[in-house]
């Protein structure tokens, strides 16, 4: 390809791929109802309705589980921002527009189910949760300045959906509650199907505009941030989640980046020009550095956990 494809040309070229993957998604996705995953018989009124307001002792969740559930839920809550960003970079017509609407509707179920579960089981402080929701959604999420179109967005959501799937599954495990685990497995299954859609579209983009696709992937991978970035207590909660393996650097490298990059055959392609080769080389160097960072992180985490266990044993 002697020139870059315009955004319109990319959208038109990829429209058949989007239509094909939309059909595949609709044939594969399982319909489910958020209310079927909530233990309603555990619910009771709060003080405004003559009941009792939340107290920390009412929660059966550990601190790690509470933090992970809140972080995942607030991430899902910001769906209006994600819908706006995706609709701006995609098209609102044809198969593109149908997908945007379908994706948004499916994602909305996740927040409904998680919030109902947490309120009914009194897993977290509902007042603090609502306050954080107001702050997070008021701030919103805006695509970074370096997002220059559909290819950047498709690359980002491919990795993000897979990362979110992992975070939901690991959160379900630390909740130590079969109800929460079942719900989060269901949500994670949705995220996986969404990832497959975006991964396939991005894979097709490599075939029609390899240099542009390669540059987008490199840009996104080397400056990746989860969509919940910027929510209240993001740094503190993130550290706790990393410490306990809800989502850490090892998972990001081994379970998100490498599997997707291998599917796209990034490091074995022969259709790049010098531009694409430069972007691929930059990506390769970044992944090498990230692997070194992962090793240092795991060594440091092991030391921290050992010291924490020693302190706990001394107190006990």
């Amino acid at each position: 390809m002697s020139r870059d494809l315009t955004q319109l040309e990319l959208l038109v070229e990829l429209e058949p791929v989007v239509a094909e993957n939309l059909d595949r998604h609709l044939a594969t996705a399982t319909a489910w109802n958020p209310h079927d995953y909530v233990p309603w018989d555990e619910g009771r009124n709060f003080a405004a309705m003559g009941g009792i307001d939340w107290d920390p002792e009412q929660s059966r969740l550990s601190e790690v589980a509470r933090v992970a559930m809140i972080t995942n839920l607030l991430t899902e809550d910001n769906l209006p921002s994600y819908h706006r960003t995706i609709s701006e970079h995609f098209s609102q017509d044809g198969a593109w527009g149908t997908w945007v609407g379908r994706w948004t509707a499916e994602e909305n179920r996740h927040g409904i189910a998680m919030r109902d579960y947490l309120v009914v089981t009194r897993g977290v402080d509902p007042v603090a949760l609502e306050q954080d929701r107001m702050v997070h959604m008021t701030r919103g999420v805006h695509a970074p300045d370096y997002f220059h179109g559909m290819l950047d967005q498709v690359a980002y959501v491919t990795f993000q959906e897979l990362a979110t799937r992992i975070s939901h599954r690991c959160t379900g495990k630390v909740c130590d509650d079969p109800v929460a685990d079942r719900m989060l497995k269901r949500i994670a299954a949705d995220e996986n199907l969404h990832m497959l859609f975006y991964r396939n579209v991005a894979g097709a983009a490599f075939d029609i505009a390899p240099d542009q696709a390669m540059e987008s992937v490199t840009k996104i991978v080397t400056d990746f941030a989860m969509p919940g970035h910027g929510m209240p207590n993001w740094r503190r909660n993130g550290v706790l989640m990393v410490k306990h393996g809800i989502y850490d650097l090892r998972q990001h490298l081994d379970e998100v980046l490498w599997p997707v990059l291998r599917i796209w055959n990034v490091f074995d392609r022969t259709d790049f020009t010098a531009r694409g080769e430069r972007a691929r080389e930059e990506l390769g160097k970044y992944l090498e550095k990230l692997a070194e960072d992962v090793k240092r992180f795991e060594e440091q985490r092991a030391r921290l956990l050992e010291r924490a266990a020693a302190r706990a044993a001394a107190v006990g």
Side-chain angles (χ1 to χ4, degrees):
M1 184 67 63
S2 59
R3 65 174 181 85
D4 283 355
L5 296 180
T6 65
Q7 290 301 301
L8 178 58
E9 288 171 333
L10 287 167
L11 289 169
V12 171
E13 288 285 337
L14 289 171
E15 175 95 15
V17 179
V18 172
E20 177 186 348
N21 278 275
L22 174 61
D23 289 342
R24 178 197 55 77
H25 178 83
L26 294 176
T28 305
T30 301
W32 60 279
N33 303 302
H35 66 261
D36 289 330
Y37 290 80
V38 179
W40 298 103
D41 58 352
E42 294 186 25
R44 55 195 189 279
N45 288 343
F46 290 91
M49 295 289 289
I52 300 173
D53 276 341
W54 185 82
D55 183 275
E57 294 183 358
Q58 296 169 357
S59 177
R60 300 192 300 267
L61 300 177
S62 66
E63 180 187 11
V64 176
R66 288 197 300 273
V67 163
M69 285 289 279
I70 290 170
T71 300
N72 288 358
L73 174 54
L74 291 179
T75 298
E76 300 286 355
D77 275 335
N78 236 347
L79 181 60
S81 287
Y82 314 145
H83 173 86
R84 181 196 67 239
T85 300
I86 285 180
S87 63
E88 287 174 350
H89 288 88
F90 296 171
S91 169
Q92 297 184 42
D93 300 319
W96 283 105
T98 302
W99 168 255
V100 171
R102 175 73 186 198
W103 174 85
T104 303
E106 291 186 2
E107 287 286 347
N108 195 41
R109 292 186 300 205
H110 303 167
I112 294 171
M114 294 177 69
R115 172 166 284 97
D116 285 346
Y117 167 83
L118 290 174
V119 172
V120 166
T121 63
R122 300 194 174 221
V124 303
D125 181 352
V127 174
L129 180 63
E130 176 62 8
Q131 291 170 343
D132 286 350
R133 186 190 71 84
M134 290 294 293
V135 171
H136 191 42
M137 291 191 67
T138 300
R139 291 174 180 169
V141 171
H142 300 270
D145 292 339
Y146 60 78
F147 267 53
H148 296 306
M150 180 271 294
L151 291 182
D152 288 0
Q153 186 63 43
V154 169
Y156 175 79
V157 288
T158 300
F159 295 115
Q160 174 265 312
E161 290 281 7
L162 184 49
T164 304
R165 185 198 81 179
I166 293 170
S167 181
H168 281 312
R169 284 297 296 116
C170 292
T171 298
K173 294 174 183 177
V174 299
C175 283
D176 195 26
D177 176 8
V179 175
D181 191 44
R182 175 173 173 262
M183 174 186 65
L184 290 170
K185 279 181 180 177
R186 178 62 265 169
I187 291 173
D190 274 5
E191 307 289 20
N192 193 61
L193 289 180
H194 297 162
M195 180 276 295
L196 290 174
F197 175 92
Y198 291 120
R199 191 186 70 187
N200 290 347
V201 173
F206 268 102
D207 293 333
I208 67 171
D211 286 343
Q212 288 172 268
M214 187 68 252
E215 288 175 336
S216 286
V217 167
T218 296
K219 180 193 308 181
I220 296 305
V221 171
T222 57
D223 196 26
F224 183 83
M226 290 291 275
H229 181 78
M231 71 174 58
N233 302 309
W234 170 257
R235 183 174 296 277
R236 174 192 174 278
N237 292 349
V239 168
L240 190 63
M241 292 171 68
V242 165
K243 179 180 178 181
H244 292 275
I246 304 299
Y247 191 79
D248 59 29
L249 281 178
R250 172 63 69 186
Q251 290 160 310
H252 185 63
L253 178 63
D254 290 354
E255 299 178 39
V256 175
L257 297 183
W258 271 118
V260 172
L261 295 173
R262 289 190 182 103
I263 289 292
W264 290 335
N265 198 33
V266 164
F267 289 101
D268 291 319
R269 301 185 71 95
T270 59
D271 51 359
F272 295 130
T273 68
R275 279 178 54 197
E277 292 288 357
R278 284 194 298 270
R280 177 163 60 180
E281 182 179 354
E282 179 184 350
L283 177 63
K285 290 180 179 178
Y286 174 82
L287 293 172
E288 290 177 2
K289 181 181 181 302
L290 184 59
E292 296 173 358
D293 292 342
V294 167
K295 292 179 181 178
R296 286 193 294 270
F297 155 74
E298 289 180 329
E299 292 170 356
Q300 182 182 30
R301 181 171 63 180
R303 290 193 296 269
L304 290 173
L305 292 175
E306 287 176 5
R307 286 199 290 269
R311 286 195 298 271
V315 173

